[in-house]
């Protein structure tokens, strides 16, 4: 298993500002992922956070809007930049210990942009 | 890339009945198919998964079947209980992706009435 601590759990932010979400894992993992889950919707992968190299972004997501850091094998951050109300969503980090193994999720960050 | 469709979007059953949720995938190279349960306000959690080298897997009241030829897989819950009420997501992972990327279905909201 994996214990994932994600914070903040929720925040209300002004449009135009940025929020950095942190994800801490209890042990080293190779792959960390960031997802967005809009209200009542499925999980959409934003990017894969790779330790020692740049994150790999999915179609529709760009580094300028969602910069990601991965300084070591237990920690990652996702920043939501220049926020607008459309960025209001739940953001989740996820880790996997190996190919085709269980994905574990953080508790999520509920972001509201006003 | 991989595309996963999930049906139905909502499912209401009486306690004790069975529930079946179906997913189809597009990439014949997909080889890992997990199912996640997400209770309201909680993180997604794995309930069962199946790999492409088997056709069925059971865990108590939960079973998953996989038809590789037809590219679909299903979740079966027997003797449903009110605590089974949640949103269920299927997912698929393809060997064709360069990273361990899961593609999620759109989700099924299951309501079990006492």
């Amino acid at each position: 298993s994996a214990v994932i601590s994600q914070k903040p759990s929720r925040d209300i932010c002004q449009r135009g500002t940025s929020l950095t979400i942190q994800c801490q894992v209890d042990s080293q993992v190779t792959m960390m992922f960031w997802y967005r889950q809009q209200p009542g919707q499925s999980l959409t992968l934003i990017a894969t956070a790779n330790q020692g190299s740049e994150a790999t972004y999915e179609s529709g997501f760009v580094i300028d809007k969602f910069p990601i850091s991965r300084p070591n094998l237990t920690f990652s951050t996702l920043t939501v930049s220049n926020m607008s109300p459309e960025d209001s969503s739940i953001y989740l980090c996820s880790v996997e210990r190996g190919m085709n193994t269980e994905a574990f999720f953080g508790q999520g960050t509920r972001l509201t942009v006003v | 890339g991989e595309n996963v469709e999930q049906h139905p979007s909502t499912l209401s059953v009486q306690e004790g009945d069975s529930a079946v949720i179906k997913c189809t995938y597009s990439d014949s190279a997909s080889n890992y198919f997990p199912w996640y349960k997400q209770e309201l306000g909680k993180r997604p959690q794995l309930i069962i998964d199946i790999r492409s080298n088997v056709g069925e897997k059971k865990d108590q009241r939960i079973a998953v079947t996989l038809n590789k030829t037809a590219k679909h897989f299903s979740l079966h819950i027997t003797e449903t209980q009110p605590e089974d009420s949640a949103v269920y997501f299927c997912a698929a992972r393809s060997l064709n992706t360069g990273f361990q990327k899961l593609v999620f279905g759109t989700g099924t909201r299951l309501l079990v009435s006492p």
Side-chain angles (χ1 to χ4, degrees):
Chain A
S1 67
V3 177
I4 304 173
S5 174
Q6 184 177 338
K7 56 183 179 182
S9 58
R10 60 178 63 227
D11 208 341
I12 301 173
C13 301
Q14 297 291 323
R15 68 178 65 201
T17 64
S18 298
L19 176 71
T20 294
I21 303 167
Q22 299 180 4
C23 183
Q24 178 75 52
V25 190
D26 65 336
S27 58
Q28 294 183 348
V29 291
T30 305
M31 306 299 279
M32 294 182 75
F33 306 88
W34 287 98
Y35 288 87
R36 182 173 71 184
Q37 187 175 30
Q38 295 181 308
Q41 302 293 313
S42 184
L43 292 86
T44 301
L45 183 64
I46 297 171
T48 302
N50 307 306
Q51 196 270 334
S53 63
E54 283 195 1
T56 304
Y57 289 84
E58 297 300 306
S59 177
F61 298 96
V62 295
I63 188 171
D64 289 347
K65 176 67 175 178
F66 298 101
I68 287 172
S69 79
R70 181 84 193 274
N72 56 54
L73 291 174
T74 63
F75 186 77
S76 179
T77 67
L78 169 75
T79 299
V80 186
S81 303
N82 188 25
M83 288 183 286
S84 67
E86 291 72 37
D87 295 320
S88 298
S89 190
I90 296 172
Y91 293 85
L92 296 133
C93 67
S94 173
V95 304
E96 296 174 23
R97 297 205 177 280
M99 179 67 74
N100 290 345
T101 60
E102 179 175 356
F104 298 94
F105 289 88
Q107 68 266 43
T109 297
R110 182 180 294 273
L111 170 62
T112 302
V113 184
V114 297
Chain B
E2 176 65 278
N3 182 52
V4 178
E5 296 188 357
Q6 183 172 347
H7 300 281
S9 57
T10 59
L11 180 58
S12 295
V13 300
Q14 291 292 122
E15 182 176 1
D17 288 349
S18 295
V20 180
I21 302 170
K22 299 181 179 181
C23 289
T24 60
Y25 60 98
S26 60
D27 190 342
S28 57
S30 288
N31 67 339
Y32 177 65
F33 308 93
W35 286 88
Y36 284 84
K37 176 183 181 181
Q38 187 175 32
E39 297 177 353
L40 188 63
K42 301 287 184 62
R43 72 190 78 191
Q45 292 194 300
L46 182 76
I47 55 171
I48 196 166
D49 58 10
I50 192 167
R51 292 166 177 78
S52 59
N53 58 341
V54 297
E56 183 175 1
K57 184 177 179 180
K58 288 187 70 173
D59 183 3
Q60 300 182 343
R61 296 187 296 110
I62 295 173
V64 57
T65 58
L66 171 65
N67 183 327
K68 288 175 58 181
T69 302
K71 290 189 283 187
H72 66 69
F73 56 112
S74 300
L75 177 71
H76 304 253
I77 305 174
T78 58
E79 302 173 25
T80 55
Q81 302 167 2
E83 50 266 38
D84 294 329
S85 297
V87 179
Y88 292 80
F89 293 99
C90 63
R93 177 179 288 133
S94 170
L95 290 172
N96 282 338
T97 59
F99 300 91
Q100 298 178 178
K101 184 171 74 173
L102 281 172
V103 177
F104 285 84
T106 49
T108 296
R109 185 174 300 277
L110 175 63
L111 176 62
V112 181
S113 302

